[in-house]
Every structure is written in C-alpha cells, then in structure tokens.
Amino acid sequence: MYSQVGIGTANPLADLHVAGNTSTIRIESLSAVNNPAHNDGIKPALAYVNALGDVTLNPSINNGTTSGGAVAPINFLLTLPDFIPNGPLNFGNIVTSPALDTYSTGLIKKVNFTAPGSALVEVKYCISSLISMGDLNLGLANLIPFYDISSRVFKIYFCIDINNDGLDAVEASKRFGLNAQSYASANQGILGYSFTNGHGYTTVPPGTHSIHFFAEIFDGPTKVTSIGFGGAEDTIKVRVYN
C-alpha cells in the first residue's frame, strides 16, 4: 500500500505535504531545551542532513551520525580591529617611494594565525591610507598634499607564510586580495584617509601560519610618494572552512 499524508490539504503532492503559506514544522528534539549543545536559543541553528537522511543540528565530522562532533563548517579564527599600529602621528606603517624611483614596495603588517586542521581559509581586510608628497618618515612637517599635477597608484595584497618559517619564493609569488587605488591632482590637493578593502582564499595545513600584508607604489620620476597604512581604522578577519 502507498499513501501520502497531507496537513492542511486534502490533495497532498508529496509523501508529507504541509500546506499553507504560514505553515511550520517543529522537531522538539532539536529545540534549545533538548539540544543546547548546538542550539543556543538566541540565533537560528543550522540544520544538516546526514548520510542516512536524518535532519540533525550536529555538525560532526562523522556526517552527523555519531555524538560529540562539534566541528562547525565555518569558524571565525580571529577578528582584529585596528590591527596596524596607528603610530604617534596616526600615520600607521609608512611605505615611501623616494625621488628618482618609480616603484617601491614594503611590508605593512604581519599577522599570525593557527589552523586546527587542513582547511580552506578566507582573509578579509580593510586598511586605511594617508597619501603625502612629503616623506612621512620625517615627521608632521612632511605631511604635504599633492600639487605637482601628477598621478600615483598604490596596491595592497597579502601572502601566506605556511608554518610561519619565512616567505619562500613560491609563497611570495602567490598574491591574494590584490586591490589598488589611484590618485591624480591638478595644481592642488587635499589630505585625508582613504580605505582599501580586499579578500582572498587559500588552503592551509594544520599549524601556525602568518599573513604578510604588502604595499606597492607606482609614481613618476622625480616624484615622492609617501603613504601611511593603518593610521585610521583598519580590520582583518580570518575565517576557516573545514
């Protein structure tokens, strides 16, 4: 014999058909009272379907078929607001392209993180930039707006140092979260912070690793471009998918 069950309908179209545009299904074994380990009663809990087809809140690495598994598919490893020191003058970490150089690069910041297992890791960042035509390393008097009728380009990206043992050639060649900004002036300019956002993905083995943020500056010959990175608000988020 074969039958279909309808709730709110005399013409069920599936094995179990709950009709009505406001209908709900309640499984009390998954409530916050009965399953507090995976349902905190505050925010909605994610439901999973295991290999047997059972609905479960248990994100076990054994596909939800055994108890005790609590490895979430998405975990935040760290969130660091203001992860770049502002410095005494709120310039942040400075990278400068001096006169006669048309390209310069420098390290902005290094951040360590630990992955509990092999995983896909996502890194999101927001970094402020303060651009000057005077060398910010020489102090406040060199915070000068552009008036030299020229253009500048700067890029931000990060590399992942696996095992935090120093970037090798292969690791340094993999640039993640690359983003750029350009600045052009006529015969006058203004001073202020701009913000660069970026994100990237990579896979890492278990262990302690480090994220190296770099900046690149491109400008014309005889021009000085000095940029303070992280003098205003900045943040980084590292999330692991396992």
Side-chain angles (χ1 to χ4, degrees):
M1 296 180 63
Y2 170 78
S3 66
Q4 294 175 313
V5 177
I7 299 176
T9 177
N11 183 31
L13 301 178
D15 293 343
L16 175 61
H17 182 171
V18 182
N21 56 15
T22 60
S23 61
T24 61
I25 297 175
R26 175 173 296 180
I27 305 175
E28 290 193 350
S29 64
L30 305 183
S31 69
V33 172
N34 295 315
N35 200 331
H38 303 108
N39 185 348
D40 62 10
I42 300 174
K43 60 181 181 297
L46 295 176
Y48 308 89
V49 179
N50 65 18
L52 301 176
D54 300 330
V55 178
T56 175
L57 299 185
N58 180 6
S60 169
I61 58 175
N62 295 318
N63 203 13
T65 59
T66 59
S67 62
V71 180
I74 299 177
N75 295 313
F76 277 101
L77 284 180
L78 57 87
T79 299
L80 297 176
D82 203 26
F83 73 103
I84 302 173
N86 294 340
L89 299 175
N90 289 329
F91 291 164
N93 289 339
I94 301 168
V95 178
T96 298
S97 176
L100 303 181
D101 287 350
T102 59
Y103 169 80
S104 294
T105 185
L107 178 68
I108 300 174
K109 182 65 176 178
K110 172 186 171 185
V111 177
N112 295 341
F113 72 96
T114 300
S118 298
L120 173 67
V121 172
E122 176 188 17
V123 179
K124 292 186 177 183
Y125 70 84
C126 174
I127 297 177
S128 65
S129 306
L130 181 64
I131 309 174
S132 170
M133 66 176 291
D135 189 346
L136 295 176
N137 292 291
L138 301 179
L140 187 61
N142 280 269
L143 182 59
I144 306 170
F146 292 104
Y147 55 79
D148 55 3
I149 312 178
S150 63
S151 62
R152 275 88 167 168
V153 173
F154 69 87
K155 300 180 180 180
I156 298 176
Y157 64 90
F158 63 88
C159 301
I160 302 292
D161 179 1
I162 303 298
N163 296 326
N164 193 28
D165 55 0
L167 283 172
D168 59 31
V170 174
E171 293 168 339
S173 68
K174 298 178 180 179
R175 300 181 174 186
F176 303 96
L178 179 64
N179 211 336
Q181 292 196 41
S182 61
Y183 184 96
S185 67
N187 57 0
Q188 61 182 350
I190 59 174
L191 292 169
Y193 295 101
S194 64
F195 295 86
T196 302
N197 297 281
H199 73 282
Y201 300 84
T202 188
T203 55
V204 297
T208 299
H209 317 292
S210 55
I211 308 168
H212 297 244
F213 287 92
F214 291 96
E216 294 181 330
I217 300 175
F218 303 83
D219 58 9
T222 75
K223 305 300 182 181
V224 174
T225 306
S226 191
I227 305 178
F229 294 95
E233 298 177 359
D234 51 85
T235 188
I236 178 177
K237 289 187 176 183
V238 179
R239 186 163 59 176
V240 60
Y241 299 75
N242 50 20

